[in-house]
Amino acid sequence: MMSMQRSESFDPPIPASGAWRPGDPPAERRFAHIGNGRPFALEFGGQLDAVTIAYETWGELDVTASNAVLVCHALTGDAHAAGESGPGQPTEGWWDDLIGPGRPLDTNRYFVVCMNVLGGCQGSTGPASPAVDGRPWGSRFPVVSIRDVVRSQAMVADQLGVWRWTAVVGGSMGGMQALEWAAMFPDRVAGLVSIASAAEAAPMQIGWSETGRLAIAQDPRWRGGDFYDAADGDGPHDGLMLARRIAHLHYRTDVSLEQRFGRATVEPLDKPDHWDRFQVESYLDYQGQKLARRFDANSYLVLNKMMDLHDVGRGRGGLANGLARVSCPSLVVSIDSDLTYPPRQQAQLAELLASGGAPVTFETLESDHGHDGFLLEYDQLGPIVDTFVAERDKHR
């Protein structure tokens, strides 16, 4: 019999949403309420009546408020870029090796800030957050753009007293935010670091993204996006886990998976069942379940679509004109084995920035890890970022 058995039950059951909710331990999160009581208008129409942005900081803002660095997270990241896990914070910092005393983003020197993006699920306003009627936004949550995220971050920066960033740094979706910061607020950005990202989403990225979104939408327990009152174990975790499996395969490379797993098996294959597993399948199962326990299916849809809509040239006369708005020194970093955001996109970005007049440094990481290299290749990435940000710091 060919029926699927592997993902029917988990111990403990996976919650309907892995979102952080009011009442959960705050961990190191701080919360900024933006808009001064006015609705937050969105680029593609609609508005949010109230917006909260969760953020974390490391180090101290100096007396001139000129030593601040903004770190922007990728699709399934959050504000916890550095530090330990604990109550209310299920994971260690996703860039812990880069942020801290004596590290490339040295918190003895810089005031480092990371914000959970608008539409996210770890403290910022998103689909799991209560709307004005007290019910989760769910299917009613509107489309948000990278530009909406950056405007919300600028409002938080105002509250923190940061008028100009020494650098805005990000990888993947974080690199998109960094680019839009430099294009939207050129006077507020002294340095731009875009890693494994692009000036616009390409057809292959959009195709992969839609495939992941469909995996969630076709889970009957997604319920059209209104699943927040479902019991543990009855949410759309199968769809979210499948989306994560799909994404993880193009985040990595054939070489990295071959080196790690080869053809090793979990169950013996002398008389295989249809669902007996190779080790790589078990690994993908683990990655899917881990994400489902800390993330929200609707946030995955919202942020995934936000990345597809990313286009620095939209409404600005094309990419060249859009990137000509960037005047600060820029560091563009590529990963030679990246299948998700291939090196040609970073080369195009660097070329367009340079043609617009911005001083550009272009670096390539050599890695077997593919797109995930921006989270793993600290020995290569750290010194590059350290040198670039320190140079910006000299001229502040």
Side-chain angles (χ1 to χ4, degrees):
M1 188 171 179
M2 220 181 264
S3 61
M4 177 68 170
Q5 301 293 325
R6 281 180 9 214
S7 62
E8 289 187 354
S9 62
F10 297 93
D11 185 22
I14 296 176
S17 171
W20 183 92
R21 307 285 188 92
D24 291 344
E28 299 302 317
R29 294 174 184 83
R30 303 179 189 180
F31 302 93
H33 306 288
I34 63 175
N36 294 320
R38 295 188 298 272
F40 186 89
L42 299 165
E43 180 185 1
F44 292 112
Q47 63 184 35
L48 295 168
D49 294 321
V51 171
T52 298
I53 300 297
Y55 67 95
E56 294 190 29
T57 69
W58 303 265
E60 299 292 335
L61 188 64
D62 66 17
V63 293
T64 62
S66 60
N67 68 328
V69 174
L70 178 63
V71 170
C72 302
H73 70 76
L75 172 61
T76 60
D78 54 40
H80 193 58
E84 299 178 350
S85 60
Q89 179 54 63
T91 61
E92 296 180 350
W94 53 269
W95 245 8
D96 200 53
D97 285 353
L98 258 69
I99 301 169
R103 295 174 184 172
L105 295 177
D106 187 349
T107 52
N108 290 329
R109 184 174 186 176
Y110 307 118
F111 176 62
V112 180
V113 181
C114 185
M115 308 181 202
N116 185 211
V117 296
L118 181 67
C121 62
Q122 289 298 317
S124 291
T125 297
S129 305
V132 291
D133 61 5
R135 296 185 297 113
W137 276 97
S139 62
R140 300 173 294 166
F141 197 81
V143 173
V144 297
S145 70
I146 296 290
R147 296 178 193 178
D148 294 326
V149 167
V150 170
R151 284 195 300 113
S152 71
Q153 292 172 342
M155 293 179 181
V156 177
D158 291 346
Q159 293 187 24
L160 293 173
V162 176
W163 315 118
R164 182 173 168 85
W165 301 103
T166 297
V168 181
V169 184
S172 191
M173 189 182 84
M176 298 175 184
Q177 296 164 61
L179 278 172
E180 279 293 352
W181 256 103
M184 293 172 69
F185 301 104
D187 292 339
R188 301 189 68 170
V189 180
L192 158 68
V193 182
S194 178
I195 308 161
S197 192
E200 63 179 357
M204 182 65 78
Q205 289 137 17
I206 294 168
W208 279 121
S209 294
E210 187 207 22
T211 304
R213 291 195 297 272
L214 288 173
I216 293 171
Q218 293 184 30
D219 185 333
R221 291 183 289 195
W222 180 59
R223 299 174 175 89
D226 296 309
F227 54 82
Y228 293 104
D229 59 353
D232 288 358
D234 195 32
H237 57 265
D238 281 344
L240 181 56
M241 289 171 62
L242 179 54
R244 181 61 165 178
R245 290 182 182 99
I246 293 166
H248 208 75
L249 283 171
H250 61 82
Y251 290 163
R252 293 301 180 96
T253 66
D254 169 68
V255 171
S256 67
L257 295 177
E258 176 67 33
Q259 290 175 342
R260 184 164 181 179
F261 301 110
R263 288 183 52 81
T265 63
V266 178
E267 293 87 11
L269 300 185
D270 51 338
K271 293 182 179 180
D273 179 83
H274 288 292
W275 298 106
D276 287 346
R277 294 170 298 170
F278 289 87
Q279 286 285 357
V280 67
E281 296 174 89
S282 177
Y283 169 73
L284 293 173
D285 290 346
Y286 167 75
Q287 292 294 336
Q289 184 179 166
K290 185 170 71 168
L291 181 71
R293 291 189 182 280
R294 68 170 181 84
F295 214 75
D296 177 72
N298 283 336
S299 276
Y300 194 96
L301 298 176
V302 168
L303 302 185
N304 190 279
K305 186 66 175 182
M306 182 171 76
M307 295 173 72
D308 287 355
L309 294 169
H310 169 64
D311 177 3
V312 176
R314 183 179 62 254
R316 296 168 176 159
L319 286 183
N321 286 337
L323 291 170
R325 300 164 66 101
V326 177
S327 57
C328 64
S330 301
L331 170 63
V332 177
V333 181
S334 182
I335 302 169
D336 64 354
S337 60
D338 194 342
L339 303 176
T340 307
Y341 288 88
R344 67 171 181 81
Q345 289 185 290
Q346 293 87 54
Q348 177 198 39
L349 172 59
E351 181 180 346
L352 289 173
L353 285 168
S355 66
V360 179
T361 302
F362 183 51
E363 299 280 358
T364 299
L365 307 184
E366 296 180 359
S367 176
D368 290 336
H369 295 300
H371 187 62
D372 274 356
F374 83 94
L375 297 169
L376 299 170
E377 298 290 358
Y378 297 114
D379 290 346
Q380 293 184 67
L381 182 61
I384 295 170
V385 172
D386 186 2
T387 299
F388 180 84
V389 178
E391 187 63 27
R392 307 287 72 73
D393 187 49
K394 287 180 185 177
H395 296 93
R396 60 186 170 96

